[in-house]
């Protein structure tokens, strides 16, 4: 007994999975951008620098802010790409949830066939249908986790950039980046180092 409705649902699900999780999907582009961000944060890790010292440490401090200024355009571009990807990922997440629900309805109906009617054709189709069900379910989970992770990265990266711009201007008088409109007066170099550490941790935890 070959189920035409299940076969059609399988074909549709396969095409939809390719669109939402394939090589050209927002999941893949976001993963590439996060990898690039990891490489940049490795270059700009401020741990180990005592920003409050003078003397020879001042050379390290100036060198750090020069390095930050050099890499800031790439950081800003990445940040903007990630913000755009978050919007696309939100829509993709909504779409894959809708597709999963539609597939599940057909799949549950297919599974309700009495055992005495389950011939070899049905059993063969059941294996493929179960595999696709798990793939769709995994894709839903992947979208949820990716969206949540991206949201955290964007929030902490944005704060880190604002802190860095503020502190660089305060320390060296440079005009790095955009005007920081909202920045606590009491923000310190130590706050920035802690914020950057948190950014590194959340990026590494997703590798």
């Amino acid at each position: 007994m070959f189920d035409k409705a299940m076969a059609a649902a399988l074909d549709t699900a396969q095409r939809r999975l390719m669109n939402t999780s394939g090589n050209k999907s927002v999941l893949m582009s976001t993963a590439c951008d996060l990898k690039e961000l990891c490489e940049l944060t490795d270059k700009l890790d401020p741990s180990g620098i005592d920003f409050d010292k003078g003397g020879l440490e001042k050379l390290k401090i100036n060198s750090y802010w020069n390095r930050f200024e050099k890499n800031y355009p790439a950081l800003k571009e990445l940040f903007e790409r990630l913000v755009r990807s978050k919007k696309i990922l939100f829509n993709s997440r909504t779409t894959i949830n809708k597709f999963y629900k539609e597939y599940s309805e057909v799949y549950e109906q297919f599974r309700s066939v009495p055992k005495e009617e389950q011939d070899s054709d049905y059993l063969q189709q059941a294996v493929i249908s179960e595999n696709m069900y798990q793939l769709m379910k995994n894709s839903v989970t992947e979208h949820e986790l990716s969206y949540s992770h991206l949201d955290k990265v964007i929030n902490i990266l944005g704060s880190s950039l604002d802190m860095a711009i503020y502190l660089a201007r305060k320390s060296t008088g440079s005009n790095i980046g955009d005007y920081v409109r909202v920045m606590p007066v009491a923000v310190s170099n130590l706050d920035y180092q802690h914020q950057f550490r948190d950014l590194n941790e959340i990026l590494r935890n997703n590798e």
Side-chain angles (χ1 to χ4, degrees):
M1 185 194 79
F2 183 78
D3 192 301
K4 292 183 179 180
M6 190 71 256
L10 273 166
D11 181 64
T12 301
Q14 186 174 17
R15 285 186 281 105
R16 286 170 170 173
L17 271 181
M18 287 298 296
N19 290 333
T20 56
S21 304
N23 291 333
K24 296 182 179 180
S25 69
V26 64
L27 287 176
M28 293 302 295
S29 62
T30 298
C32 291
D33 286 342
L34 290 176
K35 181 180 178 181
E36 184 178 343
L37 180 59
C38 281
E39 294 170 355
L40 275 174
T41 55
D42 281 341
K43 293 180 182 178
L44 299 173
D45 188 348
S47 62
I49 300 176
D50 191 338
F51 287 93
D52 298 317
K53 274 191 175 182
L56 292 176
E57 195 72 13
K58 191 69 176 177
L59 295 176
K60 290 175 63 177
I61 295 169
N62 288 336
S63 176
Y64 176 81
W65 290 126
N66 287 336
R67 189 163 67 252
F68 178 86
E69 184 170 12
K70 180 181 178 181
N71 287 277
Y72 176 76
L75 271 174
K76 182 183 178 184
E77 182 184 349
L78 258 179
F79 178 76
E80 291 171 349
R81 288 209 308 261
L82 290 173
V83 169
R84 289 194 296 270
S85 291
K86 180 185 171 184
K87 295 177 182 178
I88 298 171
L89 188 54
F90 177 86
N91 293 332
S92 184
R93 183 185 65 165
T94 302
T95 300
I96 196 64
N97 273 283
K98 177 176 178 288
F99 292 162
Y100 173 64
K101 182 180 179 181
E102 291 174 354
Y103 182 86
S104 296
E105 289 173 355
V106 178
Y107 179 62
E108 290 303 322
Q109 183 66 32
F110 173 76
R111 290 183 63 193
S112 68
V113 172
K115 282 193 174 182
E116 57 271 19
E117 297 180 20
Q118 297 178 10
D119 58 14
S120 60
D121 287 339
Y122 175 90
L123 295 175
Q124 185 177 14
Q125 195 175 17
V127 172
I128 300 172
S129 301
E130 167 68 16
N131 288 339
M132 181 58 71
Y133 175 79
Q134 292 301 327
L135 288 173
M136 292 286 286
K137 185 177 180 181
N138 291 341
S139 184
V140 167
T141 301
E142 184 179 13
H143 274 77
E144 293 291 346
L145 293 175
S146 295
Y147 183 82
S148 176
H149 178 73
L150 184 56
D151 182 58
K152 291 176 183 177
V153 169
I154 287 171
N155 287 333
I156 197 168
L157 176 58
S159 296
S160 297
L161 291 177
D162 280 352
M163 283 186 178
I165 292 168
Y166 171 80
L167 292 170
R169 290 181 175 187
K170 183 179 177 182
S171 176
T172 66
S174 66
N175 290 316
I176 301 172
D178 304 319
Y179 174 69
V180 181
R181 289 168 293 180
V182 181
M183 180 55 59
V185 175
V187 68
S188 68
N189 292 303
L190 189 59
D191 293 328
Y192 171 60
Q193 288 173 309
H194 288 166
Q195 186 85 342
F196 205 93
R197 180 198 61 201
D198 292 343
L199 176 61
N200 268 330
E201 285 181 357
I202 194 173
L203 287 171
R204 298 306 180 274
N205 287 340
N206 199 55
E207 288 183 335

